[in-house]
Amino acid sequence: MAYYHELLTLCAFDEAEIASQRQRIEKTFRILGLGPADMERAAGRIQEYFDIELVGVRKALGVWFRELFDLVLAREEGKKIIYYGYPPFQYIGLAIKAAAKSKNDFYVGCPEAVVSQTLGQFFHKLVPVIEAGEAAGLPPGHAMCSLLQVKVGALEKRIIPVPDMSIATSYFCDMGPKADELLHYKYGYPVQYVDSCLDSPWGTWPEYDRETVRYLGTQLNNLFNTLKDRFGIEINEETWEQGRLIAGRLYMATNNLTQYLTADPVPLSVADSELILNFPMGCTGSAMEEGAEAIEVLAGEVGKRVERGFGVVPKGSPRVLIVLQSLADPAVNRLIEEVGLAVPVTMVLLPPPPEPKSYPYSTLGEKRAEKAMFGGAYHSSYGFVKRIEESLKFADVDGIIYNYQFSCRPFVCCTKLTKLHLEKEIGLPTLLLDMDMQD
């Protein structure tokens, strides 16, 4: 029996798939430097931290392994590789895959999200990757984003392939494009920068400055032109809609699950719900079909838990909204429930807010940029705060833990404003809590 058989069986791989994928599986683990002891450790962690009695959880775990195999082997399997930064602009990766003449010829995704989820959550071996990133240009102690350290470190350790192009988006994160510029000089791959401004005045959301939309829209149109010129990929209204439809099933399943999570007692741990957080953020492969199926199965199972009154913490426990879960360590996600707090909702698992009437923009880039303004996070700190406030309509909570990535300026800039606004306007106690989602 193969040394990885028990682990993959836990993650809903069947015998036929393990046998047919044997060469790919073993090649991936060899590149990652993972052996029998690592498989045993991962199997133990998965059984300790994740609710594997739920078939949906096991299927979600399996999706991440398949995404890992696809990422690590993309170059060896002859694929063109396009990386995008975190968070991606809406479902840009899915639109690219939908527009590609042969979707199997391309790997499109966010490698740092996949590596954090797998080497971190499952194998507990992310630290060497982060240290490699620190040594290669993103030094410790300088508030460098650890997600970017993962990307740089994974390239340095040659566990992910050098891409044919990277999409660097500074409409939210200004550090990502700087890291991609460093990697451009180190590895020579081209970078397409998508810039914008996150400085809309306080109190204006959902209104927005039209020049900001035109600027971001022009940046997006430039990206679409580059994709066409370099890869023959044409992003238009039709292919964008195809990408939206692919994401639609995933988001619909997530929305159905979210409704059950608001029950008392809360029926699912935040460690388990984190597994689906980055399907649309980090992946465009198996997560789209198999991920949606996993969430649909999970929603059905969680619905049955609600019917029989099952909870991960006792009924009536204090309920808190949190903003983020750790992407790299399920122990951190479990900790909040171990101290007796229930988490009925996180901001990142919420359905999008309703959109006001659109301005009649003419280009696809401008139309997509306007949609981004309505989401709040790409608008301003005020828009981000109002997005959190909007989430309170979905579940009764007794307080808020604003746990933010301390090296992420978009998160850090509005911490005190968030606390002041929520405590004054909503009347909910708000705890500001530094964290690092990867390190």
Side-chain angles (χ1 to χ4, degrees), residues 114-378:
V114 178
V115 171
S116 294
Q117 193 78 42
T118 52
L119 284 188
Q121 292 259 358
F122 309 150
F123 292 100
H124 199 45
K125 297 196 73 170
L126 198 60
V127 169
V129 180
I130 292 174
E131 290 176 342
E134 291 174 340
L138 299 178
H142 289 72
M144 298 293 179
C145 175
S146 55
L147 196 59
L148 294 172
Q149 289 171 331
V150 169
K151 179 179 182 178
V152 175
L155 283 165
E156 284 290 298
K157 291 175 70 68
R158 294 177 171 80
I159 60 177
I160 63 171
V162 175
D164 295 284
M165 191 181 84
S166 182
I167 302 169
T169 47
S170 61
Y171 50 78
F172 188 73
C173 168
D174 63 334
M175 204 182 301
K178 295 172 184 175
D180 262 314
E181 185 179 25
L182 167 69
L183 293 169
H184 163 71
Y185 285 115
K186 288 177 70 72
Y187 292 102
Y189 65 74
V191 181
Q192 181 70 31
Y193 298 96
V194 181
D195 192 19
S196 188
C197 177
L198 194 65
D199 294 332
S200 303
W202 183 267
T204 57
W205 184 84
E207 299 298 323
Y208 57 85
D209 183 80
R210 290 178 185 170
E211 289 305 311
T212 300
V213 171
R214 288 194 176 95
Y215 180 66
L216 176 54
T218 300
Q219 297 280 301
L220 290 167
N221 288 328
N222 290 340
L223 167 62
F224 300 156
N225 291 334
T226 298
L227 289 167
K228 184 176 181 179
D229 293 341
R230 189 176 295 275
F231 302 106
I233 294 175
E234 185 168 359
I235 306 294
N236 52 35
E237 298 277 4
E238 180 182 354
T239 53
W240 192 276
E241 178 64 11
Q242 289 172 5
R244 188 192 69 80
L245 290 174
I246 294 171
R249 181 184 171 194
L250 195 67
Y251 284 118
M252 184 178 296
T254 301
N255 292 346
N256 290 338
L257 175 63
T258 300
Q259 302 300 320
Y260 291 124
L261 299 184
T262 63
D264 185 16
V266 176
L268 188 71
S269 169
V270 289
D272 297 311
S273 63
E274 189 281 331
L275 287 171
I276 67 174
L277 163 64
N278 276 319
F279 282 170
M281 303 279 271
C283 312
T284 65
S286 62
M288 292 308 104
E289 287 296 325
E290 297 171 24
E293 179 189 350
I295 301 170
E296 288 164 355
V297 171
L298 182 59
E301 293 175 308
V302 172
K304 292 178 181 177
R305 282 186 165 187
V306 172
E307 290 176 2
R308 67 175 191 267
F310 175 90
V312 294
V313 293
K315 184 179 177 65
S317 296
R319 296 159 65 86
V320 295
L321 164 76
I322 65 171
V323 176
L324 298 167
Q325 295 121 305
S326 170
L327 304 186
D329 193 349
V332 175
N333 296 328
R334 283 286 187 182
L335 179 63
I336 191 169
E337 292 155 349
E338 290 172 358
V339 300
L341 296 174
V343 183
V345 70
T346 68
M347 193 194 75
V348 290
L349 288 177
L350 291 170
E355 298 174 355
K357 184 178 180 180
S358 296
Y359 182 78
Y361 290 106
S362 59
T363 70
L364 177 61
E366 289 173 329
K367 293 176 183 178
R368 300 322 308 171
E370 184 190 38
K371 295 288 186 182
M373 292 295 106
F374 294 153
Y378 299 156

Side-chain angles (χ1 to χ4, degrees), residues 9-12 51-63:
T9 300
L10 278 175
C11 300
D51 199 340
I52 57 172
E53 75 170 37
L54 296 172
V55 175
V57 167
R58 295 174 63 190
K59 285 181 174 289
L61 291 163
V63 168

